[in-house]
């Protein structure tokens, strides 16, 4: 799709911003710290290259379409887009850290973990209500603002999941193609994706949220696999063997049965999440269910007793202020 067709009201002028320094680089983009010339507000400038046909790459198109369709206080807002040479630049608020780095600096106090997780879950709930699955939920994609808000970002793998019909503001099905299991960050990837399922739904995000919650609650990743096979081994060592008896629709998983894994009874949640309250363990158990049909939805998770009395963003900000980030 040509760039101008989806930019809409996001269009801004390149002359409005000055580039200060590079703060990140990826395969398809560079991120710079920038500043608005009139307001002097610092921003993040994400430079993306267009295809030879001057069309948006699919991951950019997905991100723009989602940001046009979904608005929520915990979703990183797009402040503008402008053309630059053979690419476009997306303008976002500047966030100086993320949930992964905050957790890496030391275990989060239980009230801070709860407050941050609630905001993240609410953002994902807004995506699901609009029909989107993020498909790459990870702590590094949960940015943290100076005032303690969580802002979900990086929607390049996000996709509407449903009946496959064209959406008024979505990417056309022929542009999207078939669902791929090659999405997500390994430590937080659902088992149906690890076993190459070609049909899945929003429950893949719910598994990721369960792994993120476990990471936040225990102060370390629950299953930090070094490869996809190692990830499957670690998941089963923690949660027990994936078997047909578990209710998981393994017959629909393309790679099921190609390898034989040693049986594992798993570990009790008291051992996996020591020192946590029962509601926290119930939350993770509900989200980390092998059967996607039985896995807790975001709405079910947010109704959990675990989130009762969650702290305000200001408390998260106070904690962040003392971290060496």
């Amino acid at each position: 799709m040509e760039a101008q067709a989806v930019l809409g009201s996001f269009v801004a002028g390149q002359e409005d911003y000055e580039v200060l320094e590079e703060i990140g680089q990826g395969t398809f983009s560079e991120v710079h710290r920038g500043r608005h010339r009139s307001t002097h507000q610092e921003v993040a400038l994400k430079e993306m290259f267009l295809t030879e046909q001057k069309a948006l790459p699919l991951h950019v198109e997905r991100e723009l379409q989602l940001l046009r369709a979904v608005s929520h206080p915990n979703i990183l807002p797009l402040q503008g887009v402008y053309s630059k040479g053979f690419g476009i630049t997306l303008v976002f608020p500047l966030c100086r850290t993320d949930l992964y780095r905050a957790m890496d600096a030391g275990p989060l106090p239980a009230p801070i973990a709860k407050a941050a997780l609630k905001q993240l879950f609410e953002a994902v709930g807004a995506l699901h209500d609009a029909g989107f699955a993020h498909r790459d939920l990870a702590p590094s994609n949960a940015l943290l603002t100076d005032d303690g808000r969580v802002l979900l970002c990086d929607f390049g793998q996000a996709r509407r999941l449903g009946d496959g019909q064209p959406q008024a503001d979505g990417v056309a099905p022929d542009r999207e193609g078939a669902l791929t299991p090659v999405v997500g960050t390994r430590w937080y990837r659902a088992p149906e994706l690890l076993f190459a399922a070609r049909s899945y739904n929003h429950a893949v995000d719910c598994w990721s949220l369960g792994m993120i919650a476990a990471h936040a609650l225990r102060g370390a990743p629950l299953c930090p696999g070094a490869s996809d096979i190692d990830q499957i081994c670690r998941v089963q060592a923690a949660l027990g063997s994936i078997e047909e008896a578990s209710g998981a629709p393994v017959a629909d998983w393309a790679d099921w049965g190609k390898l034989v894994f040693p049986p594992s009874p798993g570990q009790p949640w008291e051992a996996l999440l020591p020192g946590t309250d029962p509601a926290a363990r119930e939350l993770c158990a509900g989200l980390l269910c092998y059967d996607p049909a039985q896995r807790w939805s975001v709405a079910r998770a947010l109704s959990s007793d675990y989130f009762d009395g969650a702290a305000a963003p200001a408390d998260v900000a106070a904690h962040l202020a003392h971290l060496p980030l």
Side-chain angles (χ1 to χ4, degrees):
M1 184 178 291
E2 291 192 4
Q4 193 61 37
V6 294
L7 297 186
S9 60
F10 291 138
V11 175
Q14 177 182 350
E15 66 279 1
D16 293 336
Y17 299 93
E18 60 176 320
V19 176
L20 300 178
E21 63 176 338
E22 183 177 306
I23 56 176
Q25 191 173 66
T27 305
F28 305 106
S29 65
E30 295 178 353
V31 182
H32 293 85
R33 182 170 66 90
R35 182 165 50 214
H36 193 279
R37 295 184 187 277
S38 298
T39 66
H40 305 293
Q41 180 185 27
E42 290 196 351
V43 295
L45 302 173
K46 186 176 183 179
E47 298 183 10
M48 318 287 289
F49 297 104
L50 301 179
T51 66
E52 293 180 358
Q53 293 75 32
K54 296 184 179 180
L56 292 173
L58 182 56
H59 65 282
V60 182
E61 187 176 339
R62 283 173 171 163
E63 186 152 10
L64 289 172
Q65 299 288 12
L66 183 146
L67 291 169
R68 289 183 65 182
V70 185
S71 177
H72 188 272
N74 296 114
I75 290 178
L76 184 71
L78 181 63
Q79 296 180 328
V81 180
Y82 60 81
S83 299
K84 181 181 180 182
F86 293 99
I88 61 170
T89 297
L90 281 59
V91 184
F92 294 104
L94 181 66
C95 298
R96 302 184 187 278
T97 193
D98 56 54
L99 185 57
Y100 183 86
R101 285 190 283 177
M103 294 190 297
D104 195 48
L108 295 178
I112 302 304
K114 180 187 296 188
L117 289 171
K118 184 177 183 182
Q119 293 185 61
L120 175 60
F121 278 52
E122 288 176 341
V124 178
L127 294 190
H128 289 188
D129 288 346
F132 290 93
H134 188 283
R135 300 199 300 174
D136 190 20
L137 293 175
S140 58
N141 288 335
L143 302 179
L144 295 170
T145 67
D146 291 342
D147 60 359
R149 288 180 300 130
V150 173
L151 294 179
L152 180 62
C153 69
D154 199 352
F155 303 105
Q157 294 187 28
R159 182 166 175 178
R160 284 188 186 272
L161 298 182
D163 59 9
Q165 297 302 310
Q167 301 287 338
D169 56 357
V171 181
D174 58 346
R175 169 85 159 128
E176 283 282 18
L179 286 174
T180 174
V182 189
V183 291
T185 302
R186 182 183 300 121
W187 296 355
Y188 312 97
R189 190 179 297 153
E192 56 265 37
L193 298 178
L194 291 168
F195 281 99
R198 295 287 177 174
S199 177
Y200 52 84
N201 57 29
H202 301 84
V204 297
D205 284 350
C206 299
W207 177 279
S208 300
L209 288 174
M211 281 295 184
I212 294 170
H215 186 164
L217 290 165
R218 71 196 304 267
L222 183 62
C223 301
S227 66
D228 285 359
I229 293 175
D230 184 44
Q231 185 68 23
I232 294 169
C233 290
R234 288 174 180 265
V235 167
Q236 294 187 111
L239 305 179
S241 297
I242 304 173
E243 300 172 347
E244 294 183 45
S246 71
V250 295
D252 298 330
W253 299 356
D255 287 349
W256 178 260
K258 291 184 178 180
L259 293 173
V260 177
F261 296 91
S264 170
Q267 301 179 53
W269 280 103
E270 291 81 357
L272 294 173
L273 301 178
T276 58
D277 63 68
R281 298 194 293 269
E282 182 189 37
L283 173 76
C284 290
L287 292 166
L288 297 177
C289 174
Y290 288 141
D291 183 0
Q294 299 300 317
R295 196 174 297 157
W296 279 15
S297 67
V298 178
R300 172 65 183 88
L302 283 169
S303 70
S304 165
D305 292 343
Y306 170 70
F307 287 114
D308 290 349
D315 297 302
V316 178
H319 174 74
L320 294 177
H322 294 92
L323 296 182
L325 299 173

